[in-house]
Amino acid sequence: MQERIEIVRGDITQERVDAIVNAANESLLGGGGVDGAIHCAAGPELLAECRGLGGCPTGQAKITKGYQLPAKYIIHTVGPVWHGGGQGEADLLASCHRESLRLAHQHGCETLAFPAISCGVYGYPLSEAARVALETVRAELVNYELPRIVRWVMFDLRTYDAWKSVLGASRS
Ligand code: ADP
């Protein structure tokens, strides 16, 4: 199981995978951070498709084409804003990962890349987010042959280190 999970540093818009996950907001009409970078790299046709989706509630996910990206699909999911942990944040963050995996599976994706959902402007503490993300994906992958590889692509070193240390602790 563990060998199906990878953690690397990089820019998710450049990943050569079947699908990348976008940490979007409920409008699905673009924003800052990874969302802005994905819209910028995918081109204006992405926004046109997103306009037809009618938004997405927190914890859910919707899929579009990848347009100018190397990735064939983009799975847009909306992570929770961190309010201290008492407002269902962990359940919502787990749901983002489950729903994204389910869509990747349904679309036959062999490879899937996640960013650190909710860990930017939404303020989720890194090690807690890493625990939720890794535990959820690991538990779900038992049920699915696809995606074969799930890779987290971390933009910054602090986030990369947080994921590595949670993964390392679970392996020892
Ligand atoms: P959220 O609103 O869910 O917090 P952000 O986009 O603000 O989403 O941040 C989520 C994570 O994505 C942060 O760890 C941020 O550093 C990271 N990030 C920003 N740009 C990129 C990129 N091009 N590739 C991968 N990760 C990115």
Side-chain angles (χ1 to χ4, degrees), residues 10-13 23-24 32-35 37 79-80 115-124 126 153-156 159:
D11 174 354
I12 201 167
T13 66
V34 71
D35 194 9
I117 297 164
S118 288
C119 291
V121 295
Y122 283 4
Y124 213 109
L126 293 182
V153 180
M154 302 325 203
F155 209 49
D156 61 279
T159 312

Side-chain angles (χ1 to χ4, degrees), residues 11-52:
D11 174 354
I12 201 167
T13 66
Q14 304 305 309
E15 280 296 306
R16 301 196 167 274
V17 285
D18 294 319
I20 65 168
V21 177
N22 181 16
N25 57 55
E26 287 191 341
S27 78
L28 295 187
L29 298 179
V34 71
D35 194 9
I38 288 171
H39 274 268
C40 191
E45 287 166 298
L46 173 60
L47 185 56
E49 183 175 357
C50 283
R51 282 192 207 286

